[in-house]
Amino acid sequence: MSPVDGAGAGNPNLPVDPAVDEGRVPERASEGIPEIHEVGCPEELRERIELLMSRYPDRHSASIPALWAVQERYGWCTPEGIRQAAAVMRVTPAYLESVASFYDLLHTEAVGSHRIEVCTNISCWMRGGDELLDAFKAAAEGDADLFVTGFECLGACDIAPMASIDQRYFGPLEAAEAGIAIEQLKAGADVLPAKSLATRPLAGDTPGPTGRNVASESTYRPIDRGEG
Amino acid sequence: MAHGLETRVLLEHAEDPGLRTLDGYKGYGGYATLEKAYREMEQDEVLKELEDSGLRGRGGAGFSMGKKASFLPRGEMAKYLCCNADESEPGAFKDRELMQRNPHQLIEGIAIAALAADAGHAFIFIRGEYDLQADILDAAVAEAYEAGYLGENILGTHRDLELVVHRGAGAYICGEETALLDALEGKRGNPRLKPPFPAVQGLYGGPTLINNVETLSNVPRIVANGAEWFKGFGTEQSPGTKVVSISGGVRRPGNYEVELGVPTRELIYGLAGGPEPGHEVKAFYPGGSSSPVLTAEEGMDLPYSFEAMAEAGSMLGSGSIIVADDRVSIPHMALRTARFYHHESCGKCTPCREGTNWTVKMLERVVRGEATPMDLDIISSVQENIMGHCLCVLGDSMAMPVSAMVRKFRPEFEQVIAGAAETLDPHLVVQGPPETLGASI
């Protein structure tokens, strides 16, 4: 099959360079949907993807969740993993590959088992996000298990500068805390428990910057509409 | 305890960690509205209440929620409801707070809105980075199914609703409603041509109502207390309360729920504590990174409402204030902003794909002192050529703030170009392109 099939392949006036076909002719009859028995899909992964597909009116909707499942199992979206998911979902691997490559959190190349994303967007940048990223990179230097990257806004500008460590948010972080976090991560300990977003109170419930309730300094009062 | 400037409605009881469980939520009267709506109310009654309340979408566009729901055609076809929880705009983090602290309020709102839209299938599209919040939602949805508030034959009323929490995988563009639909259908998140609007032809080709987390979280209380009650908060054109995310150069960044119409100065100084002592507000984004920047003189004394911000030439957007104090270099802030949109552009429309790319390159020349003042005019003209020329507003979202910054702070840009970069705080100076995923060219 030539790549120009269907695009005027029968036209003798179209120059076809045979070199174009070199290495691009699929080995098998089609680069279509792989069969489930060809891909060696682990039972567990197959069941998980089938469950995911059952949650949607259209099975294609499960493509991102299925790729998450592949990534969870293999550490990243490996070509084999994508083929396995494609076989279960009855779509082409190329289709899943195209989806995986669109999204920042799905990795189509090998990454470390611990993922650290440091926000470098506006609010974090103003408060030292770049320095924090440098500190994490320095602390993770040479460790293939750790994947450190700068990231666009993670939606936690209130704890800027912040980082997402294995999908959990921590901040506001000092540059020096990067090393501590990585030590704790390697030791399997709780990472920076005092800086976890999960346990942070609402901003309005924390003491004001001066230690007083800042509202007492304000002259504005909402319209009094009585009680009730 | 919340202080005088805050009016906690959506964040009421949010300080109680037990609120995220079904029992905790029901302890404060939760799900009573769902029971009332499903047992006693017709679709039109719910719709009318939402329309009368004047509730405006909290995701950025500020369109009337009730009107949007009323656009859905009636009939036997499958209809869908999508909750947009793909909050990814720099400066915005209110939905994260609402989902983390009160997931059942959102679920109840979705169930009632589904009644208004006659939708049988609902989805919460949450950004993949919000893993903790998605876990909390998963647990809450499971509880709601268990209690019979979701699923088949809800409360024995012969009404059905399936609710799925769908995690994205990191793409700002998926917050755009048609890109969200593509992502939810399992494709790359590219925006679609409108019309047809999602209300007519959305998910799987069916009529689809798409609303933001905060909008839907407002629904239970509006239906419980009535439109008049809701209109008692805020201004005439911007009724209700708003969870405002304040970040950047302030001493106490965070989410604060206030009535719309509160003076902006009170938000920035009264609630968020203002900039560090000895510093002043220089400029701020009133509605996330896509809103045109206002200088302190322009914006500090305006009421914080949809209409006042629009009148000032900016927008309330998602209600996210990013404060730049007097230490921040505006050209560098413009570059950060442009880089974000360049990275997040899906590449479908040429003006956005190329416009964001060239804006970043030109702004990099500006901060390196390699540009000429004429380049500023070219930057402005590129922004003009992006606006209104794409399928979605991602390109406009860069063009609006960048052109506002060039226009309002032109002397500062010229000063930077003139080689005055050494007078800036050195850690603000970008040495080279930052390493962000996929940003390399």
Side-chain angles (χ1 to χ4, degrees):
Chain A
M1 191 170 115
S2 148
V4 292
D5 272 356
N11 183 348
N13 297 323
L14 253 184
V16 176
D17 180 357
V20 170
D21 278 0
E22 206 65 41
R24 292 183 59 182
V25 181
E27 288 166 21
R28 299 172 326 105
S30 71
E31 278 188 317
I33 300 166
E35 293 300 327
I36 188 86
H37 61 81
E38 300 172 333
V39 293
C41 183
E43 196 61 13
E44 193 191 14
L45 184 63
R46 187 179 63 79
E47 279 171 15
R48 175 125 183 244
I49 295 174
E50 280 171 354
L51 175 73
L52 288 168
M53 285 194 291
S54 72
R55 297 166 72 197
Y56 299 92
D58 180 335
R59 70 180 198 286
H60 291 92
S61 286
S63 66
I64 295 175
L67 287 163
W68 274 118
V70 168
Q71 180 154 300
E72 209 169 279
R73 179 161 183 112
Y74 298 108
W76 55 288
C77 292
T78 60
E80 298 76 34
I82 286 183
R83 278 174 62 78
Q84 290 165 0
V88 179
M89 285 188 67
R90 311 304 303 147
V91 295
T92 61
Y95 173 79
L96 286 186
E97 180 91 37
S98 82
V99 173
S101 62
F102 188 82
Y103 297 99
D104 285 346
L105 291 177
L106 297 171
H107 298 281
T108 47
E109 280 166 24
V111 290
S113 55
H114 294 294
R115 284 184 274 274
I116 300 166
E117 287 126 17
V118 183
C119 178
T120 56
N121 217 289
I122 305 170
S123 294
C124 283
W125 159 70
M126 285 178 186
R127 300 176 81 100
D130 288 351
E131 289 75 5
L132 184 64
L133 175 59
D134 290 345
F136 267 108
K137 281 194 167 158
E141 184 84 62
D143 192 331
D145 262 359
L146 300 169
F147 174 72
V148 178
T149 181
F151 212 79
E152 295 299 354
C153 189
L154 285 155
C157 316
D158 49 344
I159 53 168
M162 57 80 62
S164 169
I165 301 173
D166 286 342
Q167 293 274 74
R168 286 292 181 273
Y169 284 9
F170 300 91
L173 299 178
E174 307 277 337
E177 284 170 308
I180 302 171
I182 283 178
E183 293 288 305
Q184 288 166 331
L185 203 58
K186 283 189 193 163
D190 263 6
V191 177
L192 304 172
K195 293 295 179 85
S196 168
L197 178 73
T199 51
R200 198 179 161 84
L202 269 173
D205 295 333
T206 58
T210 50
R212 290 173 285 159
N213 187 332
V214 281
S216 58
E217 299 162 22
S218 167
T219 51
Y220 172 78
R221 289 289 173 270
I223 318 141
D224 185 14
R225 59 170 59 79
E227 283 305 305
Chain B
M1 204 197 85
H3 52 63
L5 283 165
E6 275 198 271
T7 308
R8 290 196 188 168
V9 176
L10 297 178
L11 288 174
E12 199 183 4
H13 311 303
E15 65 286 346
D16 178 1
L19 185 64
R20 67 173 70 142
T21 64
L22 183 75
D23 289 339
Y25 184 61
K26 286 184 80 169
Y28 292 113
Y31 285 111
T33 319
L34 184 147
E35 294 193 18
K36 174 183 144 192
Y38 271 70
R39 291 217 165 98
E40 298 164 21
M41 292 173 83
E42 290 301 320
Q43 180 185 0
D44 287 325
E45 286 175 80
V46 181
L47 260 181
K48 186 172 178 319
E49 209 65 70
L50 292 174
E51 260 194 278
D52 289 352
S53 73
L55 170 63
R56 297 175 68 162
R58 303 297 199 226
F63 192 75
S64 159
M65 190 259 170
K67 268 213 182 69
K68 204 173 181 181
S70 73
F71 289 157
L72 266 75
R74 305 290 174 97
E76 285 303 299
M77 72 291 252
K79 300 185 202 69
Y80 302 95
L81 187 145
C82 293
C83 170
N84 187 345
D86 192 68
E87 175 177 67
S88 311
E89 173 146 326
F93 46 90
K94 66 187 174 59
D95 296 343
R96 189 202 74 210
E97 196 95 63
L98 287 168
M99 292 186 287
Q100 182 177 332
R101 298 191 188 272
N102 201 346
H104 283 287
Q105 175 173 261
L106 174 62
I107 294 168
E108 188 177 9
I110 288 172
I112 298 169
L115 195 62
D118 189 29
H121 226 119
F123 299 90
I124 300 174
F125 188 101
I126 182 168
R127 68 182 298 196
E129 292 88 341
Y130 284 175
D131 195 52
L132 170 71
Q133 291 73 20
D135 285 349
I136 289 170
L137 279 173
D138 274 338
V141 168
E143 278 184 318
Y145 265 104
E146 186 73 18
Y149 295 126
L150 294 172
E152 286 175 9
N153 197 10
I154 296 169
L155 304 170
T157 56
H158 305 293
R159 286 171 159 150
D160 306 336
L161 179 66
E162 298 297 329
L163 177 59
V164 175
V165 178
H166 182 96
R167 292 169 203 227
Y172 168 68
I173 187 65
C174 293
E176 200 279 333
E177 56 180 13
T178 57
L180 182 148
L181 295 176
D182 264 24
L184 195 47
E185 288 178 3
K187 302 170 191 157
R188 294 162 70 91
N190 287 328
R192 301 174 181 176
L193 181 66
K194 291 189 274 192
F197 288 93
V200 178
Q201 194 179 336
L203 191 64
Y204 311 124
T208 307
L209 177 65
I210 307 171
N211 278 125
N212 171 262
V213 170
E214 191 184 356
T215 317
L216 289 164
S217 294
N218 266 302
V219 169
R221 278 193 177 78
I222 291 174
V223 174
N225 302 333
E228 287 309 313
W229 167 83
F230 186 73
K231 285 197 275 193
F233 297 97
T235 68
E236 198 185 332
Q237 291 172 59
S238 304
T241 59
K242 178 87 194 69
V243 181
V244 183
S245 309
I246 311 177
S247 67
V250 289
R251 287 184 287 168
R252 200 170 66 153
N255 284 308
Y256 299 93
E257 186 171 6
V258 296
E259 290 191 52
L260 284 167
V262 168
T264 307
R265 184 181 299 279
E266 298 298 338
L267 280 171
I268 293 175
Y269 280 94
L271 286 171
E276 298 288 329
H279 294 282
E280 293 290 321
V281 176
K282 182 176 182 180
F284 64 95
Y285 295 85
S289 67
S290 59
S291 59
V293 167
L294 294 176
T295 63
E297 299 77 58
E298 282 177 310
M300 290 299 274
D301 294 310
L302 293 177
Y304 196 69
S305 66
F306 285 102
E307 61 273 20
M309 289 301 149
E311 214 167 287
S314 188
M315 57 192 212
L316 189 93
S318 52
S320 321
I321 299 177
I322 308 174
V323 176
D325 66 23
D326 48 22
R327 288 169 292 182
V328 173
S329 154
I330 299 294
H332 288 79
M333 191 165 83
L335 175 58
R336 279 293 146 152
T337 309
R339 272 196 186 138
F340 171 77
Y341 291 100
H342 172 226
H343 176 65
E344 299 295 344
S345 172
C346 79
K348 188 169 179 173
C349 309
T350 312
C352 170
R353 182 185 65 239
E354 297 301 318
T356 53
N357 177 25
W358 286 104
T359 303
V360 168
K361 285 182 177 167
M362 284 187 286
L363 285 170
E364 280 173 352
R365 286 214 296 271
V366 168
V367 302
R368 292 201 196 109
E370 296 165 5
T372 67
M374 196 184 82
D375 284 334
L376 297 177
D377 298 327
I378 299 175
I379 291 175
S380 299
S381 105
V382 168
Q383 310 314 312
E384 279 167 31
N385 281 298
I386 295 172
M387 277 190 257
H389 294 160
C390 306
L391 286 181
C392 82
V393 294
L394 189 141
D396 300 39
S397 300
M398 177 198 72
M400 290 187 292
V402 168
S403 59
M405 279 185 261
V406 173
R407 193 173 67 246
K408 294 174 185 178
F409 292 93
R410 191 167 174 118
E412 192 177 335
F413 279 83
E414 284 169 354
Q415 190 191 358
V416 170
I417 292 170
E422 66 270 19
T423 62
L424 294 165
D425 183 344
H427 86 266
L428 293 178
V429 179
V430 182
Q431 301 300 339
E435 196 179 317
T436 38
L437 278 169
S440 55
I441 308 153

